[in-house]
Amino acid sequence: MRIIHSADWQIGKVFKQFGTKEETLRQARLAAVERLGVHARGNGVRHVLVAGDVYDSEAPSAHTLRAPIERMKAFVDVHWHLLPGNHDPHRPEGVWDRVAQLGLPENIHLHLASIPAALDESAVLLPAPLHRKSEFDDISAWMDAAQTPPGALRIGLAHGSVVDFGSGGEASNPIDPARAAKAHLDYFALGDWHRTLQVGPKTWYAGTPEPDRAGGQEQGTALLVDIAGPGALPSITRLVTGTYRWVSRSERIDDEEASADLDRRLREEADLSRLILRLKVEGSLPLAAYGEFLRRMTDLDAAVFDLDLDEASLAARPTEADLEAIDFDGVLRRSADRLKNVVDDSAAAPELRRRAEEALVELYLRVAGRAREEAA
């Protein structure tokens, strides 16, 4: 049997920190649903399992509620199996009752109770929906005693944190890492951990189809799962589903050559216009090189989808040539010398030194800019 395992769509997620770009990222999550449908068709898959957190909240707007449903409707030959997670638990008159009232087509299945559900004549799904954000008991424990037809594949579907494995989910909801063996599962599809992660021979987290945070999964994925038969180890293939790549980098630069090399390496990243880059830079540069670094970062910011630059640990250390470029022997030079003395004073307060450094850089850039204008 061949299935696709996905999780953590979190449709309707808020990205306020991105300002006017927020809606673009919200739409990308819906595009990932469509891409899952394309993958299913292209790989001959009839069943897509979504292991929780279809929605980002329990109270999505009417538009947000319908948006993923409409995308799934378009793939009438694909069966979508949806499970409540900790972001969208199944409560009376909650989000899932609202979804059910929409009048769903036959290819969209809501698994709102812990009861076996036949996928076809050869496989049974054992879902473990969440009814609260956090559960202290293992919601997958019922699978051990679940009755299924002889010879049928047993596939578990749950949303939670595998205990003693460091999966680091968002809420409690503990899951025994040995559940697949105890319940004789042929595959255990998990959600909650936003990275693709193998827990055991038959237990996987799919990761999120569209990343949503720095320092996590760089690109959205789902898992194509092939199961030859009962007892066989599943064969796993990762499928790319995301539009945007979330990349975090920490770099050190101490001269112009290193600064230029950093810029070159960042520009070699694939699909710059779809790159969300979190960049922390430390080290020290002469004023001229520092000014060039800032220019490069301004250009890079225009090339990528979003650049979050942390340069708090990058110091500007003026050379004699830098100071002479400001003014060889005049008022500006004396001002620059005083600022440099504050920068170099280890006894001065860090904030004072930082402000003096910023003022010195600003002075240098203004003088250099004026010189370029006069030369032109």
Side-chain angles (χ1 to χ4, degrees), residues 168-232:
E170 294 184 350
S172 300
N173 307 318
I175 293 177
D176 187 341
R179 180 63 59 216
K182 292 179 178 178
H184 304 288
L185 301 179
D186 294 288
Y187 184 72
F188 195 11
L190 294 176
D192 191 38
W193 180 235
H194 286 204
R195 296 187 189 185
T196 302
L197 180 70
Q198 183 177 12
V199 176
K202 299 181 179 181
T203 304
W204 285 76
Y205 282 97
T208 176
E210 184 68 37
D212 57 8
R213 66 192 67 173
Q217 184 171 315
E218 287 193 358
Q219 190 163 25
T221 60
L223 299 179
L224 179 64
V225 182
D226 282 291
I227 309 172

Short mmCIF file of all heavy atoms in Angstrom, two decimals, residues 168-232:
data_model
loop_
_atom_site.label_atom_id
_atom_site.label_comp_id
_atom_site.label_asym_id
_atom_site.label_seq_id
_atom_site.Cartn_x
_atom_site.Cartn_y
_atom_site.Cartn_z
N GLY A 168 10.22 17.03 21.41
CA GLY A 168 9.95 18.43 21.73
C GLY A 168 8.71 19.02 21.12
O GLY A 168 8.77 20.07 20.50
N GLY A 169 7.58 18.37 21.27
CA GLY A 169 6.34 18.90 20.73
C GLY A 169 5.89 20.14 21.48
O GLY A 169 6.48 20.55 22.48
N GLU A 170 4.77 20.75 21.02
CA GLU A 170 4.33 22.01 21.59
C GLU A 170 3.52 21.84 22.88
O GLU A 170 3.43 22.74 23.68
CB GLU A 170 3.48 22.76 20.56
CG GLU A 170 4.27 23.22 19.34
CD GLU A 170 3.42 24.02 18.38
OE1 GLU A 170 2.19 24.06 18.57
OE2 GLU A 170 3.99 24.61 17.45
N ALA A 171 2.91 20.70 23.07
CA ALA A 171 2.09 20.48 24.26
C ALA A 171 2.45 19.14 24.87
O ALA A 171 3.33 18.44 24.38
CB ALA A 171 0.61 20.53 23.88
N SER A 172 1.76 18.76 25.96
CA SER A 172 2.09 17.51 26.66
C SER A 172 1.86 16.31 25.75
O SER A 172 2.72 15.90 25.02
CB SER A 172 1.27 17.41 27.94
OG SER A 172 1.56 18.51 28.78
N ASN A 173 0.67 15.75 25.80
CA ASN A 173 0.27 14.69 24.88
C ASN A 173 1.34 13.63 24.65
O ASN A 173 1.83 13.46 23.53
CB ASN A 173 -0.17 15.30 23.55
CG ASN A 173 -1.22 16.38 23.73
OD1 ASN A 173 -2.14 16.24 24.53
ND2 ASN A 173 -1.06 17.47 23.02
N PRO A 174 1.73 12.91 25.69
CA PRO A 174 2.82 11.94 25.56
C PRO A 174 2.42 10.72 24.73
O PRO A 174 1.28 10.26 24.78
CB PRO A 174 3.10 11.53 27.01
CG PRO A 174 1.78 11.71 27.69
CD PRO A 174 1.15 12.92 27.05
N ILE A 175 3.38 10.22 23.96
CA ILE A 175 3.17 9.02 23.14
C ILE A 175 4.34 8.07 23.38
O ILE A 175 5.51 8.47 23.33
CB ILE A 175 3.05 9.37 21.65
CG1 ILE A 175 1.77 10.17 21.40
CG2 ILE A 175 3.07 8.12 20.79
CD1 ILE A 175 1.60 10.63 19.98
N ASP A 176 4.01 6.83 23.67
CA ASP A 176 5.03 5.81 23.92
C ASP A 176 5.81 5.55 22.64
O ASP A 176 5.23 5.23 21.60
CB ASP A 176 4.33 4.53 24.38
CG ASP A 176 5.30 3.46 24.84
OD1 ASP A 176 6.49 3.53 24.49
OD2 ASP A 176 4.84 2.53 25.55
N PRO A 177 7.15 5.67 22.67
CA PRO A 177 7.94 5.41 21.46
C PRO A 177 7.85 3.97 20.99
O PRO A 177 8.16 3.68 19.83
CB PRO A 177 9.37 5.78 21.88
CG PRO A 177 9.38 5.65 23.37
CD PRO A 177 8.01 6.06 23.81
N ALA A 178 7.40 3.07 21.86
CA ALA A 178 7.25 1.66 21.48
C ALA A 178 5.83 1.31 21.02
O ALA A 178 5.50 0.15 20.86
CB ALA A 178 7.64 0.76 22.66
N ARG A 179 5.01 2.36 20.79
CA ARG A 179 3.62 2.09 20.44
C ARG A 179 3.48 1.26 19.18
O ARG A 179 2.64 0.36 19.10
CB ARG A 179 2.85 3.41 20.26
CG ARG A 179 1.37 3.24 19.89
CD ARG A 179 0.60 2.52 20.99
NE ARG A 179 0.72 3.29 22.24
CZ ARG A 179 0.80 2.72 23.44
NH1 ARG A 179 0.77 1.39 23.57
NH2 ARG A 179 0.90 3.48 24.53
N ALA A 180 4.29 1.53 18.17
CA ALA A 180 4.17 0.78 16.92
C ALA A 180 4.35 -0.72 17.16
O ALA A 180 3.62 -1.55 16.60
CB ALA A 180 5.18 1.28 15.90
N ALA A 181 5.33 -1.08 18.01
CA ALA A 181 5.57 -2.49 18.30
C ALA A 181 4.46 -3.07 19.16
O ALA A 181 3.96 -4.18 18.91
CB ALA A 181 6.92 -2.65 18.99
N LYS A 182 4.03 -2.33 20.20
CA LYS A 182 3.01 -2.83 21.12
C LYS A 182 1.66 -3.04 20.43
O LYS A 182 0.92 -3.98 20.74
CB LYS A 182 2.84 -1.86 22.29
CG LYS A 182 4.04 -1.80 23.24
CD LYS A 182 3.80 -0.80 24.36
CE LYS A 182 4.97 -0.78 25.33
NZ LYS A 182 4.76 0.23 26.41
N ALA A 183 1.34 -2.16 19.47
CA ALA A 183 0.05 -2.23 18.81
C ALA A 183 0.13 -2.95 17.47
O ALA A 183 -0.86 -3.00 16.73
CB ALA A 183 -0.50 -0.82 18.59
N HIS A 184 1.30 -3.51 17.17
CA HIS A 184 1.51 -4.24 15.92
C HIS A 184 1.15 -3.37 14.70
O HIS A 184 0.47 -3.82 13.77
CB HIS A 184 0.69 -5.54 15.90
CG HIS A 184 1.00 -6.44 17.06
ND1 HIS A 184 2.18 -7.15 17.18
CD2 HIS A 184 0.26 -6.73 18.18
CE1 HIS A 184 2.17 -7.83 18.31
NE2 HIS A 184 1.03 -7.59 18.94
N LEU A 185 1.62 -2.12 14.76
CA LEU A 185 1.35 -1.19 13.66
C LEU A 185 2.34 -1.43 12.52
O LEU A 185 3.54 -1.67 12.75
CB LEU A 185 1.47 0.26 14.14
CG LEU A 185 0.54 0.69 15.28
CD1 LEU A 185 0.80 2.15 15.65
CD2 LEU A 185 -0.92 0.49 14.91
N ASP A 186 1.84 -1.33 11.32
CA ASP A 186 2.71 -1.42 10.15
C ASP A 186 3.30 -0.06 9.81
O ASP A 186 4.33 0.03 9.14
CB ASP A 186 1.93 -1.97 8.96
CG ASP A 186 1.50 -3.41 9.21
OD1 ASP A 186 2.37 -4.29 9.19
OD2 ASP A 186 0.29 -3.63 9.45
N TYR A 187 2.63 1.00 10.29
CA TYR A 187 3.18 2.36 10.18
C TYR A 187 2.47 3.22 11.20
O TYR A 187 1.26 3.07 11.44
CB TYR A 187 2.96 2.94 8.78
CG TYR A 187 3.61 4.30 8.60
CD1 TYR A 187 5.00 4.42 8.50
CD2 TYR A 187 2.84 5.46 8.55
CE1 TYR A 187 5.60 5.67 8.35
CE2 TYR A 187 3.43 6.71 8.40
CZ TYR A 187 4.81 6.81 8.31
OH TYR A 187 5.42 8.04 8.17
N PHE A 188 3.23 4.14 11.83
CA PHE A 188 2.67 5.06 12.82
C PHE A 188 2.97 6.47 12.35
O PHE A 188 4.12 6.92 12.36
CB PHE A 188 3.28 4.78 14.19
CG PHE A 188 2.53 5.40 15.34
CD1 PHE A 188 1.26 5.95 15.19
CD2 PHE A 188 3.09 5.42 16.62
CE1 PHE A 188 0.56 6.50 16.25
CE2 PHE A 188 2.41 5.96 17.69
CZ PHE A 188 1.14 6.51 17.50
N ALA A 189 1.93 7.19 11.91
CA ALA A 189 2.07 8.55 11.38
C ALA A 189 1.82 9.56 12.49
O ALA A 189 0.72 9.62 13.05
CB ALA A 189 1.07 8.75 10.24
N LEU A 190 2.83 10.38 12.77
CA LEU A 190 2.74 11.34 13.87
C LEU A 190 2.80 12.78 13.38
O LEU A 190 3.38 13.09 12.34
CB LEU A 190 3.89 11.11 14.86
CG LEU A 190 3.88 9.79 15.64
CD1 LEU A 190 5.14 9.69 16.49
CD2 LEU A 190 2.63 9.68 16.50
N GLY A 191 2.20 13.65 14.19
CA GLY A 191 2.28 15.09 13.98
C GLY A 191 2.61 15.78 15.28
O GLY A 191 2.55 15.18 16.35
N ASP A 192 2.97 17.05 15.22
CA ASP A 192 3.28 17.94 16.35
C ASP A 192 4.72 18.43 16.28
O ASP A 192 4.99 19.57 16.62
CB ASP A 192 3.02 17.30 17.71
CG ASP A 192 3.11 18.33 18.84
OD1 ASP A 192 2.65 19.47 18.63
OD2 ASP A 192 3.63 18.00 19.92
N TRP A 193 5.64 17.58 15.87
CA TRP A 193 7.04 17.99 15.74
C TRP A 193 7.22 18.53 14.33
O TRP A 193 6.97 17.84 13.35
CB TRP A 193 7.94 16.78 15.99
CG TRP A 193 9.42 16.99 15.91
CD1 TRP A 193 10.29 16.30 15.13
CD2 TRP A 193 10.21 17.91 16.67
NE1 TRP A 193 11.58 16.73 15.34
CE2 TRP A 193 11.55 17.72 16.28
CE3 TRP A 193 9.91 18.89 17.63
CZ2 TRP A 193 12.62 18.47 16.82
CZ3 TRP A 193 10.97 19.62 18.16
CH2 TRP A 193 12.29 19.41 17.77
N HIS A 194 7.66 19.79 14.20
CA HIS A 194 7.68 20.46 12.91
C HIS A 194 8.93 20.16 12.08
O HIS A 194 9.35 20.99 11.27
CB HIS A 194 7.53 21.98 13.10
CG HIS A 194 6.13 22.38 13.46
ND1 HIS A 194 5.61 23.63 13.24
CD2 HIS A 194 5.11 21.66 14.05
CE1 HIS A 194 4.36 23.68 13.67
NE2 HIS A 194 4.04 22.51 14.17
N ARG A 195 9.50 19.02 12.29
CA ARG A 195 10.60 18.56 11.45
C ARG A 195 10.35 17.11 11.08
O ARG A 195 9.76 16.36 11.85
CB ARG A 195 11.95 18.65 12.18
CG ARG A 195 12.39 20.05 12.54
CD ARG A 195 13.81 20.02 13.09
NE ARG A 195 14.20 21.29 13.64
CZ ARG A 195 15.43 21.55 14.10
NH1 ARG A 195 16.35 20.60 14.08
NH2 ARG A 195 15.73 22.74 14.58
N THR A 196 10.82 16.72 9.90
CA THR A 196 10.75 15.31 9.54
C THR A 196 11.69 14.54 10.44
O THR A 196 12.87 14.87 10.54
CB THR A 196 11.15 15.11 8.06
OG1 THR A 196 10.28 15.90 7.24
CG2 THR A 196 11.03 13.66 7.66
N LEU A 197 11.17 13.52 11.11
CA LEU A 197 11.97 12.83 12.12
C LEU A 197 11.53 11.37 12.22
O LEU A 197 10.34 11.08 12.34
CB LEU A 197 11.77 13.52 13.48
CG LEU A 197 12.52 12.94 14.67
CD1 LEU A 197 14.02 13.19 14.54
CD2 LEU A 197 12.00 13.57 15.97
N GLN A 198 12.50 10.46 12.16
CA GLN A 198 12.21 9.05 12.36
C GLN A 198 12.39 8.70 13.83
O GLN A 198 13.44 8.94 14.42
CB GLN A 198 13.12 8.17 11.50
CG GLN A 198 12.81 6.69 11.64
CD GLN A 198 13.66 5.81 10.74
OE1 GLN A 198 14.66 6.28 10.17
NE2 GLN A 198 13.28 4.55 10.61
N VAL A 199 11.35 8.13 14.41
CA VAL A 199 11.39 7.75 15.82
C VAL A 199 11.77 6.28 15.97
O VAL A 199 12.46 5.89 16.90
CB VAL A 199 10.02 8.02 16.48
CG1 VAL A 199 10.01 7.54 17.92
CG2 VAL A 199 9.69 9.50 16.41
N GLY A 200 11.33 5.46 15.05
CA GLY A 200 11.62 4.04 15.07
C GLY A 200 11.47 3.47 13.68
O GLY A 200 11.18 4.21 12.73
N PRO A 201 11.64 2.18 13.51
CA PRO A 201 11.56 1.58 12.17
C PRO A 201 10.26 1.86 11.45
O PRO A 201 10.23 1.97 10.22
CB PRO A 201 11.73 0.09 12.45
CG PRO A 201 12.45 0.01 13.76
CD PRO A 201 11.96 1.18 14.55
N LYS A 202 9.16 2.00 12.22
CA LYS A 202 7.85 2.20 11.60
C LYS A 202 7.14 3.45 12.10
O LYS A 202 5.95 3.64 11.85
CB LYS A 202 6.96 0.98 11.86
CG LYS A 202 7.53 -0.32 11.29
CD LYS A 202 6.59 -1.49 11.56
CE LYS A 202 7.16 -2.79 10.97
NZ LYS A 202 6.25 -3.93 11.19
N THR A 203 7.87 4.34 12.78
CA THR A 203 7.27 5.53 13.38
C THR A 203 7.98 6.78 12.90
O THR A 203 9.20 6.91 13.06
CB THR A 203 7.34 5.45 14.91
OG1 THR A 203 6.70 4.25 15.36
CG2 THR A 203 6.66 6.65 15.54
N TRP A 204 7.20 7.72 12.31
CA TRP A 204 7.78 8.93 11.75
C TRP A 204 6.93 10.15 12.08
O TRP A 204 5.70 10.06 12.18
CB TRP A 204 7.86 8.83 10.23
CG TRP A 204 8.94 7.95 9.69
CD1 TRP A 204 8.96 6.59 9.66
CD2 TRP A 204 10.16 8.38 9.08
NE1 TRP A 204 10.11 6.13 9.07
CE2 TRP A 204 10.87 7.21 8.69
CE3 TRP A 204 10.72 9.62 8.81
CZ2 TRP A 204 12.11 7.27 8.05
CZ3 TRP A 204 11.95 9.68 8.17
CH2 TRP A 204 12.63 8.52 7.80
N TYR A 205 7.61 11.29 12.25
CA TYR A 205 6.97 12.59 12.16
C TYR A 205 7.16 13.08 10.73
O TYR A 205 8.26 13.03 10.19
CB TYR A 205 7.62 13.59 13.12
CG TYR A 205 7.23 13.45 14.57
CD1 TYR A 205 8.03 12.74 15.46
CD2 TYR A 205 6.07 14.04 15.05
CE1 TYR A 205 7.67 12.60 16.79
CE2 TYR A 205 5.70 13.92 16.38
CZ TYR A 205 6.51 13.20 17.25
OH TYR A 205 6.14 13.07 18.56
N ALA A 206 6.08 13.58 10.13
CA ALA A 206 6.17 14.04 8.75
C ALA A 206 6.86 15.40 8.64
O ALA A 206 7.45 15.72 7.61
CB ALA A 206 4.77 14.14 8.14
N GLY A 207 6.79 16.21 9.72
CA GLY A 207 7.23 17.59 9.59
C GLY A 207 6.10 18.43 9.02
O GLY A 207 5.01 17.92 8.71
N THR A 208 6.33 19.71 8.87
CA THR A 208 5.29 20.60 8.35
C THR A 208 5.46 20.78 6.85
O THR A 208 6.58 20.83 6.35
CB THR A 208 5.36 21.98 9.05
OG1 THR A 208 4.41 22.85 8.46
CG2 THR A 208 6.73 22.60 8.95
N PRO A 209 4.35 20.89 6.09
CA PRO A 209 4.48 21.05 4.65
C PRO A 209 4.92 22.45 4.24
O PRO A 209 5.32 22.66 3.09
CB PRO A 209 3.06 20.76 4.13
CG PRO A 209 2.17 21.10 5.27
CD PRO A 209 2.95 20.73 6.51
N GLU A 210 4.84 23.42 5.16
CA GLU A 210 5.32 24.78 4.91
C GLU A 210 5.88 25.31 6.22
O GLU A 210 5.13 25.51 7.17
CB GLU A 210 4.19 25.68 4.41
CG GLU A 210 4.63 27.08 4.03
CD GLU A 210 5.50 27.12 2.78
OE1 GLU A 210 5.27 26.33 1.84
OE2 GLU A 210 6.44 27.93 2.76
N PRO A 211 7.20 25.49 6.33
CA PRO A 211 7.81 25.91 7.60
C PRO A 211 7.20 27.22 8.10
O PRO A 211 6.65 28.01 7.33
CB PRO A 211 9.28 26.07 7.24
CG PRO A 211 9.49 25.18 6.06
CD PRO A 211 8.21 25.26 5.29
N ASP A 212 7.34 27.45 9.40
CA ASP A 212 6.72 28.63 10.00
C ASP A 212 7.60 29.32 11.04
O ASP A 212 7.15 30.21 11.73
CB ASP A 212 5.39 28.25 10.64
CG ASP A 212 5.54 27.15 11.69
OD1 ASP A 212 6.68 26.80 12.03
OD2 ASP A 212 4.51 26.64 12.17
N ARG A 213 8.85 28.91 11.14
CA ARG A 213 9.69 29.51 12.17
C ARG A 213 11.17 29.35 11.82
O ARG A 213 11.56 28.39 11.16
CB ARG A 213 9.42 28.87 13.52
CG ARG A 213 9.82 27.40 13.61
CD ARG A 213 9.29 26.72 14.85
NE ARG A 213 7.84 26.62 14.81
CZ ARG A 213 7.12 25.95 15.70
NH1 ARG A 213 7.71 25.32 16.70
NH2 ARG A 213 5.81 25.88 15.60
N ALA A 214 11.96 30.32 12.26
CA ALA A 214 13.40 30.23 12.07
C ALA A 214 13.99 29.18 13.00
O ALA A 214 13.49 28.96 14.10
CB ALA A 214 14.05 31.59 12.34
N GLY A 215 15.02 28.52 12.54
CA GLY A 215 15.69 27.53 13.36
C GLY A 215 15.03 26.17 13.34
O GLY A 215 15.48 25.25 14.01
N GLY A 216 13.96 26.02 12.58
CA GLY A 216 13.28 24.73 12.48
C GLY A 216 13.58 24.06 11.16
O GLY A 216 14.70 24.14 10.63
N GLN A 217 12.57 23.43 10.61
CA GLN A 217 12.71 22.77 9.31
C GLN A 217 12.90 23.82 8.23
O GLN A 217 12.16 24.79 8.15
CB GLN A 217 11.44 21.96 9.06
CG GLN A 217 11.45 21.14 7.80
CD GLN A 217 10.24 20.20 7.74
OE1 GLN A 217 9.93 19.57 8.73
NE2 GLN A 217 9.58 20.16 6.61
N GLU A 218 13.92 23.64 7.37
CA GLU A 218 14.21 24.65 6.36
C GLU A 218 13.21 24.66 5.22
O GLU A 218 12.84 25.71 4.72
CB GLU A 218 15.63 24.45 5.79
CG GLU A 218 16.73 24.85 6.75
CD GLU A 218 18.08 24.94 6.09
OE1 GLU A 218 18.18 24.66 4.87
OE2 GLU A 218 19.05 25.29 6.78
N GLN A 219 12.75 23.49 4.80
CA GLN A 219 11.82 23.41 3.68
C GLN A 219 10.70 22.42 4.00
O GLN A 219 10.92 21.40 4.64
CB GLN A 219 12.53 22.99 2.40
CG GLN A 219 11.67 23.12 1.15
CD GLN A 219 12.50 23.09 -0.11
OE1 GLN A 219 13.59 22.54 -0.15
NE2 GLN A 219 11.98 23.69 -1.18
N GLY A 220 9.49 22.75 3.54
CA GLY A 220 8.34 21.92 3.84
C GLY A 220 8.40 20.57 3.15
O GLY A 220 8.79 20.47 1.99
N THR A 221 7.99 19.52 3.88
CA THR A 221 8.01 18.17 3.33
C THR A 221 6.79 17.38 3.78
O THR A 221 6.10 17.73 4.74
CB THR A 221 9.27 17.39 3.76
OG1 THR A 221 9.29 17.31 5.20
CG2 THR A 221 10.54 18.04 3.28
N ALA A 222 6.54 16.31 3.06
CA ALA A 222 5.61 15.26 3.47
C ALA A 222 6.31 13.94 3.18
O ALA A 222 7.39 13.93 2.57
CB ALA A 222 4.30 15.37 2.70
N LEU A 223 5.72 12.85 3.62
CA LEU A 223 6.36 11.55 3.44
C LEU A 223 5.51 10.65 2.55
O LEU A 223 4.31 10.48 2.78
CB LEU A 223 6.57 10.87 4.80
CG LEU A 223 7.46 11.61 5.79
CD1 LEU A 223 7.56 10.81 7.11
CD2 LEU A 223 8.84 11.87 5.23
N LEU A 224 6.15 10.10 1.53
CA LEU A 224 5.54 9.07 0.70
C LEU A 224 5.91 7.73 1.32
O LEU A 224 7.09 7.39 1.44
CB LEU A 224 6.06 9.17 -0.73
CG LEU A 224 5.54 8.13 -1.74
CD1 LEU A 224 4.05 8.29 -1.95
CD2 LEU A 224 6.30 8.25 -3.05
N VAL A 225 4.90 6.98 1.75
CA VAL A 225 5.12 5.75 2.51
C VAL A 225 4.64 4.55 1.70
O VAL A 225 3.47 4.48 1.31
CB VAL A 225 4.37 5.80 3.87
CG1 VAL A 225 4.65 4.54 4.68
CG2 VAL A 225 4.75 7.06 4.64
N ASP A 226 5.56 3.62 1.46
CA ASP A 226 5.22 2.37 0.78
C ASP A 226 5.31 1.22 1.78
O ASP A 226 6.34 1.04 2.44
CB ASP A 226 6.19 2.11 -0.37
CG ASP A 226 5.86 2.95 -1.59
OD1 ASP A 226 4.83 2.68 -2.22
OD2 ASP A 226 6.64 3.88 -1.92
N ILE A 227 4.23 0.43 1.89
CA ILE A 227 4.20 -0.71 2.79
C ILE A 227 3.89 -1.95 1.96
O ILE A 227 2.80 -2.08 1.39
CB ILE A 227 3.13 -0.53 3.89
CG1 ILE A 227 3.28 0.83 4.57
CG2 ILE A 227 3.24 -1.65 4.92
CD1 ILE A 227 2.16 1.16 5.53
N ALA A 228 4.86 -2.84 1.87
CA ALA A 228 4.73 -4.02 0.99
C ALA A 228 3.67 -4.99 1.50
O ALA A 228 2.99 -5.66 0.71
CB ALA A 228 6.07 -4.72 0.85
N GLY A 229 3.53 -5.06 2.83
CA GLY A 229 2.56 -5.99 3.39
C GLY A 229 2.67 -6.00 4.90
O GLY A 229 3.56 -5.36 5.48
N PRO A 230 1.79 -6.72 5.59
CA PRO A 230 1.84 -6.79 7.06
C PRO A 230 3.20 -7.24 7.55
O PRO A 230 3.76 -8.22 7.06
CB PRO A 230 0.75 -7.81 7.39
CG PRO A 230 -0.20 -7.74 6.24
CD PRO A 230 0.66 -7.50 5.04
N GLY A 231 3.75 -6.50 8.51
CA GLY A 231 5.04 -6.85 9.10
C GLY A 231 6.23 -6.31 8.36
O GLY A 231 7.35 -6.27 8.90
N ALA A 232 6.08 -5.86 7.12
CA ALA A 232 7.20 -5.34 6.34
C ALA A 232 7.58 -3.94 6.81
O ALA A 232 6.73 -3.15 7.24
CB ALA A 232 6.85 -5.31 4.86
#
